[in-house]
PDB file of all heavy atoms in Angstrom:
ATOM      1  N   ALA M 213      29.369  -6.728  14.366  1.00  0.00           N
ATOM      2  CA  ALA M 213      29.427  -8.132  14.766  1.00  0.00           C
ATOM      3  C   ALA M 213      30.693  -8.753  14.187  1.00  0.00           C
ATOM      4  O   ALA M 213      31.204  -8.293  13.174  1.00  0.00           O
ATOM      5  CB  ALA M 213      28.201  -8.894  14.264  1.00  0.00           C
ATOM      6  N   VAL M 214      31.222  -9.786  14.858  1.00  0.00           N
ATOM      7  CA  VAL M 214      32.403 -10.477  14.345  1.00  0.00           C
ATOM      8  C   VAL M 214      32.076 -11.956  14.200  1.00  0.00           C
ATOM      9  O   VAL M 214      31.262 -12.503  14.944  1.00  0.00           O
ATOM     10  CB  VAL M 214      33.620 -10.332  15.287  1.00  0.00           C
ATOM     11  CG1 VAL M 214      34.291  -9.006  15.078  1.00  0.00           C
ATOM     12  CG2 VAL M 214      33.206 -10.505  16.715  1.00  0.00           C
ATOM     13  N   LYS M 215      32.761 -12.572  13.244  1.00  0.00           N
ATOM     14  CA  LYS M 215      32.515 -14.000  13.004  1.00  0.00           C
ATOM     15  C   LYS M 215      33.749 -14.766  13.451  1.00  0.00           C
ATOM     16  O   LYS M 215      34.848 -14.523  12.967  1.00  0.00           O
ATOM     17  CB  LYS M 215      32.249 -14.236  11.515  1.00  0.00           C
ATOM     18  CG  LYS M 215      31.723 -15.617  11.220  1.00  0.00           C
ATOM     19  CD  LYS M 215      31.205 -15.700   9.791  1.00  0.00           C
ATOM     20  CE  LYS M 215      30.544 -17.044   9.545  1.00  0.00           C
ATOM     21  NZ  LYS M 215      30.048 -17.172   8.186  1.00  0.00           N
ATOM     22  N   LYS M 216      33.521 -15.681  14.399  1.00  0.00           N
ATOM     23  CA  LYS M 216      34.650 -16.500  14.872  1.00  0.00           C
ATOM     24  C   LYS M 216      34.212 -17.944  14.859  1.00  0.00           C
ATOM     25  O   LYS M 216      33.167 -18.297  15.426  1.00  0.00           O
ATOM     26  CB  LYS M 216      35.031 -16.078  16.308  1.00  0.00           C
ATOM     27  CG  LYS M 216      36.519 -15.832  16.437  1.00  0.00           C
ATOM     28  CD  LYS M 216      37.040 -15.768  17.839  1.00  0.00           C
ATOM     29  CE  LYS M 216      36.571 -14.546  18.568  1.00  0.00           C
ATOM     30  NZ  LYS M 216      37.302 -14.305  19.813  1.00  0.00           N
ATOM     31  N   ASN M 217      35.038 -18.788  14.241  1.00  0.00           N
ATOM     32  CA  ASN M 217      34.726 -20.219  14.182  1.00  0.00           C
ATOM     33  C   ASN M 217      33.324 -20.463  13.651  1.00  0.00           C
ATOM     34  O   ASN M 217      32.575 -21.289  14.160  1.00  0.00           O
ATOM     35  CB  ASN M 217      34.820 -20.858  15.583  1.00  0.00           C
ATOM     36  CG  ASN M 217      36.188 -20.703  16.191  1.00  0.00           C
ATOM     37  OD1 ASN M 217      37.174 -20.596  15.474  1.00  0.00           O
ATOM     38  ND2 ASN M 217      36.244 -20.663  17.499  1.00  0.00           N
ATOM     39  N   GLY M 218      32.960 -19.705  12.619  1.00  0.00           N
ATOM     40  CA  GLY M 218      31.666 -19.932  11.992  1.00  0.00           C
ATOM     41  C   GLY M 218      30.483 -19.399  12.761  1.00  0.00           C
ATOM     42  O   GLY M 218      29.341 -19.529  12.313  1.00  0.00           O
ATOM     43  N   LYS M 219      30.713 -18.797  13.922  1.00  0.00           N
ATOM     44  CA  LYS M 219      29.581 -18.255  14.680  1.00  0.00           C
ATOM     45  C   LYS M 219      29.718 -16.750  14.775  1.00  0.00           C
ATOM     46  O   LYS M 219      30.816 -16.225  15.002  1.00  0.00           O
ATOM     47  CB  LYS M 219      29.575 -18.854  16.101  1.00  0.00           C
ATOM     48  CG  LYS M 219      28.983 -20.245  16.133  1.00  0.00           C
ATOM     49  CD  LYS M 219      27.798 -20.299  17.106  1.00  0.00           C
ATOM     50  CE  LYS M 219      27.089 -21.623  17.069  1.00  0.00           C
ATOM     51  NZ  LYS M 219      25.899 -21.636  16.247  1.00  0.00           N
ATOM     52  N   TRP M 220      28.572 -16.071  14.653  1.00  0.00           N
ATOM     53  CA  TRP M 220      28.575 -14.617  14.765  1.00  0.00           C
ATOM     54  C   TRP M 220      28.384 -14.187  16.213  1.00  0.00           C
ATOM     55  O   TRP M 220      27.719 -14.861  16.987  1.00  0.00           O
ATOM     56  CB  TRP M 220      27.422 -14.038  13.946  1.00  0.00           C
ATOM     57  CG  TRP M 220      27.641 -14.072  12.470  1.00  0.00           C
ATOM     58  CD1 TRP M 220      27.172 -15.008  11.592  1.00  0.00           C
ATOM     59  CD2 TRP M 220      28.368 -13.127  11.691  1.00  0.00           C
ATOM     60  NE1 TRP M 220      27.560 -14.709  10.325  1.00  0.00           N
ATOM     61  CE2 TRP M 220      28.302 -13.554  10.337  1.00  0.00           C
ATOM     62  CE3 TRP M 220      29.081 -11.973  11.998  1.00  0.00           C
ATOM     63  CZ2 TRP M 220      28.914 -12.854   9.312  1.00  0.00           C
ATOM     64  CZ3 TRP M 220      29.689 -11.268  10.966  1.00  0.00           C
ATOM     65  CH2 TRP M 220      29.602 -11.723   9.630  1.00  0.00           C
ATOM     66  N   LYS M 221      28.975 -13.052  16.554  1.00  0.00           N
ATOM     67  CA  LYS M 221      28.731 -12.510  17.885  1.00  0.00           C
ATOM     68  C   LYS M 221      28.602 -11.006  17.768  1.00  0.00           C
ATOM     69  O   LYS M 221      29.470 -10.346  17.187  1.00  0.00           O
ATOM     70  CB  LYS M 221      29.901 -12.862  18.809  1.00  0.00           C
ATOM     71  CG  LYS M 221      29.606 -12.564  20.255  1.00  0.00           C
ATOM     72  CD  LYS M 221      30.565 -13.349  21.152  1.00  0.00           C
ATOM     73  CE  LYS M 221      30.470 -12.970  22.619  1.00  0.00           C
ATOM     74  NZ  LYS M 221      29.506 -12.014  23.061  1.00  0.00           N
ATOM     75  N   GLY M 222      27.518 -10.457  18.312  1.00  0.00           N
ATOM     76  CA  GLY M 222      27.327  -9.010  18.307  1.00  0.00           C
ATOM     77  C   GLY M 222      28.452  -8.343  19.073  1.00  0.00           C
ATOM     78  O   GLY M 222      28.847  -8.798  20.145  1.00  0.00           O
ATOM     79  N   SER M 382      26.071 -11.700   6.058  1.00  0.00           N
ATOM     80  CA  SER M 382      25.429 -12.930   6.510  1.00  0.00           C
ATOM     81  C   SER M 382      24.050 -12.973   5.890  1.00  0.00           C
ATOM     82  O   SER M 382      23.390 -11.953   5.767  1.00  0.00           O
ATOM     83  CB  SER M 382      25.313 -12.926   8.040  1.00  0.00           C
ATOM     84  OG  SER M 382      24.199 -13.690   8.449  1.00  0.00           O
ATOM     85  N   PRO M 383      23.592 -14.145   5.473  1.00  0.00           N
ATOM     86  CA  PRO M 383      22.257 -14.214   4.886  1.00  0.00           C
ATOM     87  C   PRO M 383      21.176 -13.763   5.862  1.00  0.00           C
ATOM     88  O   PRO M 383      20.094 -13.374   5.463  1.00  0.00           O
ATOM     89  CB  PRO M 383      22.080 -15.692   4.521  1.00  0.00           C
ATOM     90  CG  PRO M 383      23.174 -16.404   5.207  1.00  0.00           C
ATOM     91  CD  PRO M 383      24.263 -15.447   5.463  1.00  0.00           C
ATOM     92  N   ASN M 384      21.481 -13.776   7.153  1.00  0.00           N
ATOM     93  CA  ASN M 384      20.477 -13.355   8.125  1.00  0.00           C
ATOM     94  C   ASN M 384      20.539 -11.867   8.414  1.00  0.00           C
ATOM     95  O   ASN M 384      19.746 -11.368   9.202  1.00  0.00           O
ATOM     96  CB  ASN M 384      20.679 -14.115   9.443  1.00  0.00           C
ATOM     97  CG  ASN M 384      20.329 -15.581   9.305  1.00  0.00           C
ATOM     98  OD1 ASN M 384      19.412 -15.927   8.580  1.00  0.00           O
ATOM     99  ND2 ASN M 384      21.080 -16.436   9.965  1.00  0.00           N
ATOM    100  N   TRP M 385      21.488 -11.148   7.782  1.00  0.00           N
ATOM    101  CA  TRP M 385      21.617  -9.736   8.129  1.00  0.00           C
ATOM    102  C   TRP M 385      20.344  -8.962   7.816  1.00  0.00           C
ATOM    103  O   TRP M 385      19.958  -8.057   8.557  1.00  0.00           O
ATOM    104  CB  TRP M 385      22.812  -9.087   7.430  1.00  0.00           C
ATOM    105  CG  TRP M 385      22.817  -7.618   7.720  1.00  0.00           C
ATOM    106  CD1 TRP M 385      22.439  -6.623   6.894  1.00  0.00           C
ATOM    107  CD2 TRP M 385      23.103  -7.009   8.982  1.00  0.00           C
ATOM    108  NE1 TRP M 385      22.499  -5.417   7.536  1.00  0.00           N
ATOM    109  CE2 TRP M 385      22.899  -5.610   8.813  1.00  0.00           C
ATOM    110  CE3 TRP M 385      23.512  -7.482  10.224  1.00  0.00           C
ATOM    111  CZ2 TRP M 385      23.101  -4.697   9.856  1.00  0.00           C
ATOM    112  CZ3 TRP M 385      23.724  -6.558  11.251  1.00  0.00           C
ATOM    113  CH2 TRP M 385      23.509  -5.198  11.061  1.00  0.00           C
ATOM    114  N   ASN M 387      17.473  -9.758   8.200  1.00  0.00           N
ATOM    115  CA  ASN M 387      16.508  -9.862   9.294  1.00  0.00           C
ATOM    116  C   ASN M 387      16.827  -8.885  10.402  1.00  0.00           C
ATOM    117  O   ASN M 387      15.932  -8.406  11.096  1.00  0.00           O
ATOM    118  CB  ASN M 387      16.508 -11.279   9.874  1.00  0.00           C
ATOM    119  CG  ASN M 387      16.195 -12.293   8.810  1.00  0.00           C
ATOM    120  OD1 ASN M 387      15.702 -11.944   7.746  1.00  0.00           O
ATOM    121  ND2 ASN M 387      16.493 -13.536   9.073  1.00  0.00           N
ATOM    122  N   VAL M 388      18.131  -8.595  10.581  1.00  0.00           N
ATOM    123  CA  VAL M 388      18.495  -7.600  11.587  1.00  0.00           C
ATOM    124  C   VAL M 388      17.959  -6.244  11.165  1.00  0.00           C
ATOM    125  O   VAL M 388      17.412  -5.490  11.969  1.00  0.00           O
ATOM    126  CB  VAL M 388      20.029  -7.544  11.762  1.00  0.00           C
ATOM    127  CG1 VAL M 388      20.414  -6.441  12.720  1.00  0.00           C
ATOM    128  CG2 VAL M 388      20.546  -8.880  12.262  1.00  0.00           C
ATOM    129  N   SER M 416      23.209  -6.094  20.915  1.00  0.00           N
ATOM    130  CA  SER M 416      24.222  -7.095  20.609  1.00  0.00           C
ATOM    131  C   SER M 416      23.671  -8.503  20.746  1.00  0.00           C
ATOM    132  O   SER M 416      23.923  -9.371  19.918  1.00  0.00           O
ATOM    133  CB  SER M 416      25.418  -6.936  21.555  1.00  0.00           C
ATOM    134  OG  SER M 416      26.530  -6.452  20.878  1.00  0.00           O
ATOM    135  N   ASN M 417      22.941  -8.716  21.841  1.00  0.00           N
ATOM    136  CA  ASN M 417      22.394 -10.058  22.050  1.00  0.00           C
ATOM    137  C   ASN M 417      21.412 -10.428  20.948  1.00  0.00           C
ATOM    138  O   ASN M 417      21.410 -11.559  20.457  1.00  0.00           O
ATOM    139  CB  ASN M 417      21.693 -10.135  23.418  1.00  0.00           C
ATOM    140  CG  ASN M 417      22.697 -10.032  24.550  1.00  0.00           C
ATOM    141  OD1 ASN M 417      23.878 -10.285  24.362  1.00  0.00           O
ATOM    142  ND2 ASN M 417      22.216  -9.662  25.723  1.00  0.00           N
ATOM    143  N   THR M 418      20.563  -9.443  20.574  1.00  0.00           N
ATOM    144  CA  THR M 418      19.600  -9.723  19.509  1.00  0.00           C
ATOM    145  C   THR M 418      20.311 -10.045  18.199  1.00  0.00           C
ATOM    146  O   THR M 418      19.950 -10.967  17.477  1.00  0.00           O
ATOM    147  CB  THR M 418      18.670  -8.518  19.300  1.00  0.00           C
ATOM    148  OG1 THR M 418      18.207  -8.062  20.558  1.00  0.00           O
ATOM    149  CG2 THR M 418      17.494  -8.878  18.421  1.00  0.00           C
ATOM    150  N   ILE M 419      21.368  -9.275  17.911  1.00  0.00           N
ATOM    151  CA  ILE M 419      22.100  -9.502  16.662  1.00  0.00           C
ATOM    152  C   ILE M 419      22.746 -10.877  16.672  1.00  0.00           C
ATOM    153  O   ILE M 419      22.708 -11.612  15.671  1.00  0.00           O
ATOM    154  CB  ILE M 419      23.159  -8.398  16.458  1.00  0.00           C
ATOM    155  CG1 ILE M 419      22.461  -7.076  16.177  1.00  0.00           C
ATOM    156  CG2 ILE M 419      24.101  -8.752  15.321  1.00  0.00           C
ATOM    157  CD1 ILE M 419      23.404  -5.904  16.053  1.00  0.00           C
ATOM    158  N   THR M 420      23.343 -11.241  17.815  1.00  0.00           N
ATOM    159  CA  THR M 420      23.945 -12.577  17.898  1.00  0.00           C
ATOM    160  C   THR M 420      22.901 -13.635  17.595  1.00  0.00           C
ATOM    161  O   THR M 420      23.138 -14.562  16.806  1.00  0.00           O
ATOM    162  CB  THR M 420      24.513 -12.812  19.314  1.00  0.00           C
ATOM    163  OG1 THR M 420      25.385 -11.745  19.638  1.00  0.00           O
ATOM    164  CG2 THR M 420      25.244 -14.138  19.380  1.00  0.00           C
ATOM    165  N   ARG M 421      21.723 -13.486  18.212  1.00  0.00           N
ATOM    166  CA  ARG M 421      20.687 -14.502  18.016  1.00  0.00           C
ATOM    167  C   ARG M 421      20.253 -14.571  16.557  1.00  0.00           C
ATOM    168  O   ARG M 421      20.175 -15.636  15.962  1.00  0.00           O
ATOM    169  CB  ARG M 421      19.496 -14.176  18.927  1.00  0.00           C
ATOM    170  CG  ARG M 421      18.366 -15.180  18.838  1.00  0.00           C
ATOM    171  CD  ARG M 421      17.287 -14.887  19.866  1.00  0.00           C
ATOM    172  NE  ARG M 421      16.764 -13.529  19.808  1.00  0.00           N
ATOM    173  CZ  ARG M 421      15.828 -13.118  18.966  1.00  0.00           C
ATOM    174  NH1 ARG M 421      15.310 -13.970  18.107  1.00  0.00           N
ATOM    175  NH2 ARG M 421      15.421 -11.870  18.986  1.00  0.00           N
ATOM    176  N   ILE M 422      19.979 -13.415  15.958  1.00  0.00           N
ATOM    177  CA  ILE M 422      19.445 -13.421  14.597  1.00  0.00           C
ATOM    178  C   ILE M 422      20.476 -13.931  13.597  1.00  0.00           C
ATOM    179  O   ILE M 422      20.170 -14.736  12.717  1.00  0.00           O
ATOM    180  CB  ILE M 422      18.984 -12.002  14.196  1.00  0.00           C
ATOM    181  CG1 ILE M 422      17.810 -11.560  15.055  1.00  0.00           C
ATOM    182  CG2 ILE M 422      18.595 -11.980  12.735  1.00  0.00           C
ATOM    183  CD1 ILE M 422      17.282 -10.194  14.697  1.00  0.00           C
ATOM    184  N   LEU M 423      21.744 -13.477  13.737  1.00  0.00           N
ATOM    185  CA  LEU M 423      22.727 -13.874  12.742  1.00  0.00           C
ATOM    186  C   LEU M 423      23.044 -15.361  12.822  1.00  0.00           C
ATOM    187  O   LEU M 423      23.485 -15.966  11.841  1.00  0.00           O
ATOM    188  CB  LEU M 423      24.024 -13.064  12.913  1.00  0.00           C
ATOM    189  CG  LEU M 423      23.928 -11.589  12.506  1.00  0.00           C
ATOM    190  CD1 LEU M 423      25.279 -10.910  12.644  1.00  0.00           C
ATOM    191  CD2 LEU M 423      23.443 -11.471  11.079  1.00  0.00           C
ATOM    192  N   ASN M 424      22.829 -15.946  13.989  1.00  0.00           N
ATOM    193  CA  ASN M 424      23.157 -17.365  14.118  1.00  0.00           C
ATOM    194  C   ASN M 424      21.969 -18.281  13.871  1.00  0.00           C
ATOM    195  O   ASN M 424      22.088 -19.485  14.009  1.00  0.00           O
ATOM    196  CB  ASN M 424      23.720 -17.643  15.521  1.00  0.00           C
ATOM    197  CG  ASN M 424      25.136 -17.125  15.656  1.00  0.00           C
ATOM    198  OD1 ASN M 424      25.911 -17.206  14.704  1.00  0.00           O
ATOM    199  ND2 ASN M 424      25.467 -16.585  16.804  1.00  0.00           N
ATOM    200  N   THR M 425      20.798 -17.707  13.487  1.00  0.00           N
ATOM    201  CA  THR M 425      19.636 -18.594  13.254  1.00  0.00           C
ATOM    202  C   THR M 425      19.917 -19.512  12.088  1.00  0.00           C
ATOM    203  O   THR M 425      20.437 -19.114  11.073  1.00  0.00           O
ATOM    204  CB  THR M 425      18.380 -17.795  12.859  1.00  0.00           C
ATOM    205  OG1 THR M 425      18.616 -16.442  13.096  1.00  0.00           O
ATOM    206  CG2 THR M 425      17.174 -18.283  13.571  1.00  0.00           C
ATOM    207  N   GLY M 426      19.583 -20.767  12.304  1.00  0.00           N
ATOM    208  CA  GLY M 426      19.686 -21.700  11.189  1.00  0.00           C
ATOM    209  C   GLY M 426      21.077 -22.251  10.980  1.00  0.00           C
ATOM    210  O   GLY M 426      21.302 -23.053  10.091  1.00  0.00           O
ATOM    211  N   SER M 427      22.009 -21.807  11.810  1.00  0.00           N
ATOM    212  CA  SER M 427      23.358 -22.349  11.579  1.00  0.00           C
ATOM    213  C   SER M 427      23.716 -23.393  12.632  1.00  0.00           C
ATOM    214  O   SER M 427      22.996 -23.550  13.599  1.00  0.00           O
ATOM    215  CB  SER M 427      24.388 -21.235  11.610  1.00  0.00           C
ATOM    216  OG  SER M 427      24.309 -20.547  12.822  1.00  0.00           O
TER     217      SER M 427
END
Side-chain angles (χ1 to χ4, degrees):
Chain M
V214 279
K215 191 168 186 181
K216 230 195 291 193
N217 301 333
K219 280 237 174 262
W220 286 98
K221 191 161 172 3
S382 151
N384 291 325
W385 175 257
N387 302 344
V388 176
S416 250
N417 292 339
T418 313
I419 291 176
T420 307
R421 181 174 54 82
I422 295 181
L423 289 183
N424 286 323
T425 348
S427 56

